[in-house]
């Protein structure tokens, strides 16, 4: 019967397993053909002794080396970008850019270097726009360490008293899992009674948020209720838990396994972090594994290391029993610890008084008002609509990887209980396409229209127009619509680079330009343009391509003010042509392009002409939201 059961397990496993498997049959070593004996070649008499050939090491072209180094970072950035790891992608792109501009080579003197640099700048600019056009696309959610990693690294001595106490407790403990006691389990009970007690207690408290939901799902899926302690061991009920191996969420799914159980992962969401969806997927996976192995301990082991690993261990030993596999050391070390950890936590959690856990207060169940939306919206706007906090919304929506809900798919947004109707009423005041950009502001005592405009880096006129205000007075506690333009939100990712855009604008030097005049046009310090482009003086060759990082926020105001002053006092400006002098003498304003605006509409707003706009902004071929135009009147 034992042999029949083992063969049944193997046949059933072959049907259920969906992961790719490697052959266990070792390859035979290749057989070389027998050597053929050859007569030695005789050298002529008095022939010079042969000399060993001198290895010729090809000289490394510095430009090639620089391109290869920058390209390596650029390709890594694209890979991280495609995978949704935007912070890592930004680091790669920054290193690619820095590699080029910090070298001793003159980029503009070598066409290949210049082409590589331009490719990096333009490509990264397009990728950043793609991420930011939906809102705060470069802000990634922060994950938390998975407790299972720490528990797997410890080895605690067995306390005979703890072991004896646990054996007595098991007899009185009801569980729908088969509880046993041995030295491995007793060792982890000792760990969770001392060094790991805080981790266990915190996880128990957090379990209160999800116990009712997990119990309901397990009942619907037909799996033992005490499998809840698997989540306690894996993640401590942290939805954002991330293991060193890359497993994520409360039930620590790897990406490939999650996909097999219908958990979606894309740029915006990772359903491994959705408490209910991941719980249902975990229940179904565990049930499949039990049907495969007929034993919950083996099912748990397979949950950790994969069913193929456990199946091979059963095949090698002939034992379909976890503890037999443990004794024969045919399972990975982490899996050998995994089951004892879960059993230890189960015993302690079901007997809290004996382990000083009876004072742990369970968190309240995490209730919410779900609302299905089919448009992207910034969580900060949602928080302002319902008078809640962003932290609360992130806690209710842990599957969101960014501060913005998805654009091209529907999403169930969880709101604080009792706020669904309020959200639906408030959000209608914001244009559909602006819900990732615009904000609400609750007027505080002392606020003025000007101070609010400065805070969000928009004009007072724009706020007044959006709210139909007839004068500059704002009433305390009033909720104002703030029409934030792309790239101008003080809290957005575009200002994280220290006041300047992450990627440069390309500017081709015209006749009569100097570093000072260009700096004045773009509202940035001249010394920054010199540093960005490796320029030592004020003269710059006509036709040269410069890379200029536009100001984004407070830096713009400082730069604009300082350069307005310096344009009147800097002696080098005396060498300008009369045309440049006249242009500089006009007062300069900087306008950030909003979605839907055209050169004509902007010209009308500032009482100027399209021709004048083009003259003062020669690099602007096509308007994009977030572009900064120089307006001279």
């Amino acid at each position: 019967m034992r042999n029949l059961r083992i063969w049944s397990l193997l046949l059933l496993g072959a049907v259920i397993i969906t992961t790719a498997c490697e052959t266990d049959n070792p390859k035979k070593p290749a057989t070389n053909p027998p050597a053929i004996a050859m007569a030695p070649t005789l050298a002529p008499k008095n022939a010079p002794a042969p000399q060993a050939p001198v290895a010729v090491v090809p000289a490394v072209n510095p430009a090639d080396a620089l391109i290869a180094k920058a390209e390596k970072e650029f390709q890594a950035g694209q890979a991280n970008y495609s995978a949704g790891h935007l912070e890592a992608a930004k680091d790669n792109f920054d290193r690619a850019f820095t590699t080029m501009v910090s070298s001793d080579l003159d980029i503009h003197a070598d066409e290949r270097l210049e082409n590589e640099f331009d490719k990096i700048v333009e490509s990264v600019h397009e990728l950043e726009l793609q991420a930011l056009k939906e809102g705060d696309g470069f802000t990634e959610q922060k994950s938390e360490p998975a407790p299972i990693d720490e528990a797997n690294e410890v080895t605690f001595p067995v306390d005979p008293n703890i072991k004896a106490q646990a054996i007595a407790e098991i007899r009185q403990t009801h569980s729908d899992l088969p509880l046993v006691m041995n030295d491995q389990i007793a060792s982890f009970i000792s760990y969770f009674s001392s060094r790991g007690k805080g981790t266990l207690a915190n996880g128990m408290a957090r379990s209160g948020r999800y116990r009712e939901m997990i119990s309901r799902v397990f009942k619907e899926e037909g799996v033992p209720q005490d499998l809840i302690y698997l989540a306690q061991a894996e993640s401590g009920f942290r939805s954002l838990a991330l293991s060193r191996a890359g497993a994520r969420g409360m039930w620590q799914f790897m990406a490939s396994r999650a996909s097999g159980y219908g958990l979606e992962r894309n740029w915006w969401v990772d359903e491994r972090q959705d408490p209910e969806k991941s719980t249902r997927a975990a229940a179904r996976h565990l049930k499949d594994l039990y049907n495969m192995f007929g034993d919950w301990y083996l099912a748990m082991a397979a949950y950790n290391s994969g069913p193929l690993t456990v199946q091979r261990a059963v095949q090698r030993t002939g034992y379909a029993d976890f503890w037999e596999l443990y004794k024969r050391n045919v399972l990975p070390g982490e899996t050998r610890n995994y089951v004892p950890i879960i059993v230890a936590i189960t015993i302690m959690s079901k007997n809290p008084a004996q382990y000083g856990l009876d004072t742990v207060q369970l968190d309240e169940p995490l209730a919410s008002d779900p609302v299905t939306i089919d448009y992207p919206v910034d969580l900060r706007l949602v928080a302002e609509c319902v008078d809640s906090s962003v932290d609360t919304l992130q806690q209710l929506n842990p599957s969101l990887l960014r501060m913005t809900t998805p654009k091209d798919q529907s999403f169930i947004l969880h709101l604080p209980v009792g706020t669904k109707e309020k959200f639906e009423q408030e959000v209608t005041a914001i244009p559909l396409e602006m819900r990732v950009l615009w904000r609400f502001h609750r007027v505080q005592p002392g606020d003025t229209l000007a101070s609010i405009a400065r805070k969000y880096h928009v004009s007072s006129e724009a706020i007044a127009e959006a709210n139909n205000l007839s004068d500059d007075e704002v009433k305390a506690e009033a909720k104002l619509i703030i029409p934030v333009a792309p790239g101008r939100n003080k809290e957005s990712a575009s200002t994280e680079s220290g006041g300047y855009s992450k990627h440069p604008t390309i500017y081709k030097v015209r006749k009569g330009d100097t570093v000072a005049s260009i700096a004045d046009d773009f509202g940035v310090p001249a010394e920054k343009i010199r540093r960005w482009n490796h320029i030592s003086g004020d003269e710059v060759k006509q036709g040269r391509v410069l890379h200029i990082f536009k100001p984004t926020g407070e830096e713009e105001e400082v730069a604009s003010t300082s350069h307005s002053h310096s344009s009147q006092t800097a002696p080098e400006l005396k060498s300008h042509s009369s045309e440049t002098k006249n242009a500089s003498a006009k007062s300069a304003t900087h306008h950030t392009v909003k979605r839907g605006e055209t050169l004509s509409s902007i010209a009308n707003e500032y009482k100027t002409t399209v021709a004048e706009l083009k003259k003062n902004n020669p690099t602007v071929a096509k308007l994009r939201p977030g572009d900064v135009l120089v307006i001279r009147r």
Side-chain angles (χ1 to χ4, degrees):
M1 289 296 290
R2 171 177 284 275
N3 288 336
L4 178 60
R5 183 181 178 192
I6 292 171
W7 281 109
S8 298
L9 288 174
L10 297 179
L11 290 173
L12 182 60
V15 174
I16 295 180
I17 295 174
T18 58
T19 54
C21 59
E22 300 173 359
T23 178
D24 285 330
N25 298 325
K27 293 182 179 179
K28 293 182 180 181
T31 304
N32 294 324
I36 301 175
M38 301 288 290
T41 302
L42 298 178
K45 224 179 222 187
N46 301 325
Q51 296 183 354
V54 178
V56 179
V57 180
V60 178
N61 186 297
D64 290 339
L66 180 61
I67 290 173
K69 186 176 180 181
E71 187 68 20
K72 182 179 179 181
E73 288 291 349
F74 177 70
Q75 295 294 338
Q78 286 190 313
N80 276 320
Y81 185 94
S82 299
H85 306 316
L86 301 188
E87 291 296 332
K90 279 204 301 182
D91 290 341
N92 291 131
F93 292 148
D94 287 346
R95 284 194 290 270
F97 178 79
T98 302
T99 296
M100 297 294 292
V101 300
S102 63
S103 76
D104 295 330
L105 301 177
D106 185 353
I107 294 174
H108 306 289
D110 187 311
E111 185 178 358
R112 291 177 307 144
L113 289 176
E114 189 164 41
N115 289 341
E116 176 70 12
F117 183 77
D118 290 344
K119 182 193 79 171
I120 290 173
V121 169
E122 288 300 313
S123 298
V124 172
H125 180 64
E126 289 300 320
L127 293 175
E128 187 177 46
L129 282 180
Q130 180 65 29
L132 292 176
K133 73 179 183 180
E134 313 300 350
D136 206 353
F138 266 105
T139 299
E140 285 190 273
Q141 182 191 73
K142 303 301 181 184
S143 57
E144 301 168 339
I148 193 71
D149 285 335
E150 180 182 353
N152 265 313
E153 293 179 345
V154 303
T155 302
F156 257 68
V158 176
D159 186 325
N161 295 326
I162 288 180
K163 183 177 179 181
Q165 178 185 350
I167 291 173
E169 288 164 353
I170 287 175
R171 299 192 186 104
Q172 307 297 323
T173 302
H174 172 73
S175 175
D176 48 12
L177 292 176
L179 299 181
V180 298
M181 177 52 57
N182 53 37
D183 285 353
Q184 292 75 34
I185 296 170
S187 172
F188 282 108
I189 289 179
S190 295
Y191 166 69
F192 286 115
S193 296
S194 51
R195 176 177 157 186
K197 188 171 182 178
T199 300
L200 179 59
N202 290 336
M204 288 180 65
R206 203 176 294 107
S207 72
R209 305 177 188 181
Y210 309 109
R211 278 184 175 273
E212 292 180 8
M213 178 272 291
I214 293 173
S215 178
R216 169 176 55 80
V217 171
F218 279 8
K219 185 176 181 180
E220 292 169 357
E221 297 296 334
V223 298
Q225 292 287 311
D226 285 349
L227 284 174
I228 188 175
Y229 300 113
L230 187 149
Q232 168 80 67
E234 287 271 22
S235 66
F237 298 97
R238 293 182 182 273
S239 293
L240 305 185
L242 176 65
S243 77
R244 294 170 192 153
R248 188 180 287 273
M250 192 159 64
W251 295 95
Q252 289 291 280
F253 272 101
M254 297 296 288
S256 58
R257 183 71 62 193
S259 178
Y261 282 88
L263 296 179
E264 184 178 0
R265 180 183 181 277
N266 57 39
W267 185 286
W268 304 103
V269 299
D270 190 333
E271 291 182 343
R272 292 179 293 173
Q273 297 179 175
D274 184 290
E276 182 158 348
K277 289 182 178 180
S278 66
T279 296
R280 194 168 297 278
R284 291 175 178 173
H285 184 34
L286 285 163
K287 188 174 182 179
D288 285 344
L289 294 172
Y290 178 78
N291 291 336
M292 182 186 301
F293 295 104
D295 180 274
W296 283 114
Y297 285 172
L298 289 179
M300 285 187 265
Y303 188 93
N304 175 257
S305 62
L308 187 60
T309 300
V310 175
Q311 188 187 43
R312 285 175 171 170
V314 171
Q315 186 177 10
R316 286 174 58 190
T317 64
Y319 286 97
D321 179 88
F322 174 80
W323 298 111
E324 289 293 339
L325 301 181
Y326 186 101
K327 286 191 293 186
R328 285 161 175 74
N329 199 24
V330 291
L331 293 172
E334 180 181 315
T335 306
R336 295 176 80 237
N337 289 337
Y338 187 75
V339 172
I341 288 172
I342 295 171
V343 176
I345 287 176
T346 303
I347 292 170
M348 296 178 73
S349 298
K350 297 181 82 68
N351 297 276
Q354 286 86 329
Y355 298 99
L357 299 170
D358 51 332
T359 58
V360 173
Q361 297 292 318
L362 301 186
D363 292 351
E364 291 294 321
L366 207 58
S368 67
D369 273 358
V371 56
T372 301
I373 60 175
D374 57 1
Y375 53 83
V377 60
D378 193 296
L379 288 187
R380 287 164 294 198
L381 177 64
V382 177
E384 290 155 358
C385 284
V386 299
D387 294 320
S388 183
S389 68
V390 173
D391 286 344
T392 296
L393 287 166
Q394 288 181 314
Q395 189 178 90
L396 291 173
N397 298 276
S399 67
L400 277 179
L401 298 178
R402 323 256 170 232
M403 290 290 285
T404 307
T405 62
K407 174 188 178 184
D408 298 321
Q409 66 185 83
S410 63
F411 180 76
I412 300 176
L413 178 66
H414 292 273
L415 304 170
V417 173
T419 64
K420 177 180 177 180
E421 185 176 345
K422 183 175 184 179
F423 167 74
E424 292 176 333
Q425 290 175 347
E426 293 274 349
V427 80
T428 56
I430 308 297
L432 192 65
E433 70 277 9
M434 295 299 179
R435 292 176 186 176
V436 295
L437 299 171
W438 289 16
R439 301 283 298 277
F440 278 116
H441 174 82
R442 180 76 68 180
V443 178
Q444 303 298 316
D447 277 352
T448 65
L449 196 57
S451 68
I452 297 169
R454 284 194 299 273
K455 176 179 179 180
Y456 293 97
H457 300 275
V458 298
S459 68
S460 300
E461 293 78 9
I463 297 177
E465 182 179 353
N467 294 274
N468 296 317
L469 299 178
S470 57
D471 52 40
D472 290 346
E473 290 188 11
V474 289
K475 297 179 180 178
E477 294 303 311
K479 185 181 282 188
L480 298 180
I481 297 171
I482 309 297
V484 179
R488 300 299 301 275
N489 184 351
K490 186 176 181 180
E491 299 173 358
S492 74
S494 61
T495 62
E496 293 175 359
S497 58
Y500 293 92
S501 60
K502 265 293 185 186
H503 305 292
T505 294
I506 309 301
Y507 177 77
K508 193 170 185 178
V509 177
R510 297 179 298 163
K511 184 179 180 180
D513 278 346
T514 65
V515 172
S517 67
I518 296 168
D520 185 58
D521 282 343
F522 281 89
V524 297
E527 57 269 22
K528 287 190 178 292
I529 293 182
R530 294 189 184 98
R531 180 160 53 85
W532 293 333
N533 296 277
H534 298 287
I535 300 173
S536 56
D538 191 54
E539 298 298 324
V540 59
K541 185 178 178 181
Q542 181 182 350
R544 177 171 176 176
V545 174
L546 300 184
H547 298 86
I548 301 171
F549 295 80
K550 293 180 181 179
T552 57
E554 295 171 346
E555 192 75 24
E556 180 179 6
E557 297 175 10
V558 175
S560 179
T561 302
S562 64
H563 281 276
S564 174
H565 175 73
S566 65
S567 64
Q568 300 173 24
T569 59
E572 62 265 31
L573 292 186
K574 294 179 181 179
S575 63
H576 286 193
S577 66
S578 60
E579 178 183 345
T580 306
K581 285 182 180 180
N582 292 336
S584 299
K586 298 178 182 179
S587 61
T589 302
H590 293 88
H591 174 84
T592 300
V593 178
K594 306 178 186 66
R595 187 174 299 181
E597 286 187 324
T598 64
L599 284 174
S600 178
S601 67
I602 297 170
N604 289 336
E605 179 181 349
Y606 288 93
K607 295 181 173 54
T608 184
T609 65
V610 171
E612 187 71 7
L613 286 178
K614 289 182 176 180
K615 176 182 175 183
N616 292 322
N617 300 276
T619 62
V620 178
K622 180 181 179 181
L623 284 187
R624 294 173 177 172
D627 283 347
V628 178
L629 300 183
V630 177
I631 313 293
R632 295 193 182 280
R633 293 179 292 177

